[in-house]
Amino acid sequence: MTKCPNREDLQRFADGEMKGGRRSRIAEHIKSCELCADDIGQLQRLSELISSAIRKETESRDLAGLWEKVSVGIASPSVGATSRQSLLSLFWKPAAKVAYAALVVLVGGLFVVRPMLYSTGPRVTISRAKVYSVYQYDPDVTVSMIMATGGQSDIVWISGPGRTEEN
Amino acid sequence: MDLELVQKASKGDADAFEELVKRYQQKVYGIAYGISHDHQDALDISQEVFIKIYKKLKDFRGASSFYTWLYRITANVAIDFQRVKRKIIPVEFDEKILEEPRPEAGFPEGKKFDPRKILERKEIHGAILRAIETLPEDQRAAVVLRELENLSYKEIAKAMNCSMGTVMSRLHYARRKLREILEPLLS
């Protein structure tokens, strides 16, 4: 039996990247060398496994929408970075939408309500108004925002344990 | 055939470019998935590849085949994408997946691990993909181009802009590691 080829040569043989005399010598060698035959068998098996794993995962994917995405990307050269698009799409996922809206309301509410707590705006008669929304500014203070007739809004009272006052 | 479409597309023929995209989208997606192992990433990579291709159509001289050029861009985009992503989410191979089957994955508890049976199951694909994920991006790309697209060493070298020796070396180290990890499935 001839000397065993090194693993690089076995790899080239298994990949069909070896020709001529060297290929014939290795082909002859593996007929009588179980170790090298096993080595080549494992390389071939590995190739099959990798190929089938990736194909199985990708062949059934519906890529019908890819062209539309590409055509949009081509039409807007500035929209080239996919990472930015992914980030944008994240914003429009339903859960993210709700969280984003809640954040806007919370921050906006704080900016609007806080100065109002200390303002002395025009007095609005309760009989002419209806409750628009209720904010729990802190555990001791509940703020009711009143939508007055004619669409004008104002805070008309601040109420909480031990504290009730009209604005 | 490709060259004709490329020439038409480079002159602004949208139908010709659409034909090119549809002809190669499955292959590009397959390579992108093989390197990224994430369907959304693979879709993003594919999109970016074709947009790049469109922008560079006029530079394509036809010296190499269109698919080699396409694979080069795909490999580069996918590798860059992974490098950025790796900085955010480091990936480690969970060896437990080969040591014992997970009951929730369909293997009855207490039964002996049998590679021949597991080969029939989908979970084996997950184990292979996780093993590939442990490879450095350059090795992963070489393996995917070789095993999935059956490219020759010379074609891989062109696609990855490196020498054939580098391709052989990347394949050798990648396979050595994969064989270590997947040994129970190969024997």
Side-chain angles (χ1 to χ4, degrees):
Chain A
M1 189 171 70
T2 53
K3 191 185 165 192
C4 291
N6 61 38
R7 281 203 151 171
E8 284 85 349
D9 280 349
L10 284 176
Q11 174 179 270
R12 288 181 63 198
F13 178 86
D15 285 336
E17 293 277 348
M18 193 177 269
K19 287 172 187 167
R22 288 180 78 183
R23 180 166 186 86
S24 306
R25 279 195 293 278
I26 291 180
E28 196 59 39
H29 173 80
I30 58 173
K31 283 180 188 170
S32 54
C33 179
E34 204 175 317
L35 276 175
C36 288
D38 275 356
D39 219 27
I40 288 171
Q42 280 201 11
L43 283 171
Q44 288 169 340
R45 183 79 192 121
L46 183 65
S47 293
E48 288 165 15
L49 286 172
I50 293 169
S51 165
S52 75
I54 298 173
R55 283 189 204 287
K56 198 97 177 171
E57 275 293 317
T58 58
E59 277 181 349
S60 59
R61 303 300 290 192
D62 180 15
L63 300 176
L66 182 60
W67 166 245
E68 278 70 30
K69 287 187 170 193
V70 171
S71 57
V72 168
I74 290 167
S76 331
S78 59
V79 190
T82 50
S83 55
R84 266 179 282 149
Q85 285 181 331
S86 301
L87 197 64
L88 196 65
S89 67
L90 181 70
F91 267 96
W92 296 111
K93 283 180 180 172
K97 256 191 211 177
V98 172
Y100 186 64
L103 186 68
V104 168
V105 168
L106 185 70
V107 173
L110 282 175
F111 274 99
V112 170
V113 171
R114 192 170 176 170
M116 286 175 142
L117 289 175
Y118 306 104
S119 73
T120 53
R123 189 185 182 90
V124 179
T125 312
I126 289 175
S127 62
R128 293 176 54 207
K130 62 178 179 182
V131 174
Y132 179 67
S133 185
V134 177
Y135 295 91
Q136 186 76 36
Y137 180 64
D138 68 44
D140 295 329
V141 182
T142 300
V143 179
S144 300
M145 185 181 276
I146 301 299
M147 179 69 79
T149 316
Q152 187 183 5
S153 67
D154 199 354
I155 295 171
V156 294
W157 75 63
I158 301 169
S159 66
R163 185 179 176 190
T164 302
E165 57 183 77
E166 279 194 30
N167 183 12
Chain B
M1 289 241 290
D2 284 346
L3 193 58
E4 196 182 327
L5 286 171
V6 170
Q7 284 168 347
K8 283 182 180 177
S10 66
K11 287 172 187 166
D13 185 335
D15 291 341
F17 189 62
E18 184 177 354
E19 174 66 29
L20 277 174
V21 170
K22 289 185 173 168
R23 185 178 290 184
Y24 284 102
Q25 63 183 14
Q26 194 65 49
K27 286 182 179 295
V28 167
Y29 184 82
I31 296 168
Y33 182 82
I35 297 172
S36 71
H37 295 170
D38 181 285
H39 288 295
Q40 187 56 49
D41 289 352
L43 206 58
D44 286 346
I45 291 165
S46 305
Q47 183 187 354
E48 191 165 329
V49 166
F50 285 116
I51 291 170
K52 275 198 170 180
I53 288 283
Y54 184 80
K55 287 176 180 172
K56 292 182 175 182
L57 272 176
K58 284 177 184 167
D59 300 335
F60 179 68
R61 309 245 175 251
S64 61
S65 62
F66 176 73
Y67 75 83
T68 308
W69 184 57
L70 178 67
Y71 290 168
R72 175 190 294 185
I73 292 176
T74 307
N76 285 338
V77 171
I79 288 170
D80 287 348
F81 195 97
Q82 278 311 108
R83 282 181 179 152
V84 171
K85 195 175 175 184
R86 186 159 47 89
K87 286 178 186 169
I88 304 165
I89 311 165
V91 175
E92 283 178 20
F93 182 74
D94 181 7
E95 291 183 358
K96 283 180 184 169
I97 195 156
L98 290 175
E99 287 167 3
E100 55 185 66
R102 290 169 298 156
E104 69 271 23
F107 300 104
E109 247 177 313
K111 284 204 171 181
K112 203 180 170 187
F113 176 63
D114 183 349
R116 284 179 193 166
K117 282 183 184 170
I118 202 174
L119 275 169
E120 302 298 319
R121 297 174 188 268
K122 194 182 174 187
E123 281 69 27
I124 197 69
H125 291 144
I128 293 158
L129 294 174
R130 283 187 193 88
I132 298 171
E133 233 172 316
T134 64
L135 301 174
E137 285 83 5
D138 289 340
Q139 290 180 17
R140 203 186 301 178
V143 164
V144 170
L145 291 172
R146 172 68 209 170
E147 311 299 11
L148 190 66
E149 291 306 319
N150 211 23
L151 295 195
S152 67
Y153 291 177
K154 195 176 175 182
E155 288 171 317
I156 299 170
K158 274 187 182 176
M160 298 190 71
N161 203 22
C162 63
S163 68
M164 278 174 63
T166 304
V167 170
M168 282 190 264
S169 165
R170 284 175 183 168
L171 285 173
H172 173 70
Y173 286 111
R175 285 164 166 168
R176 193 171 72 177
K177 185 167 186 185
L178 292 175
R179 285 169 73 173
E180 281 170 14
I181 295 172
L182 300 170
E183 200 270 332
L185 309 176
L186 297 170
S187 52

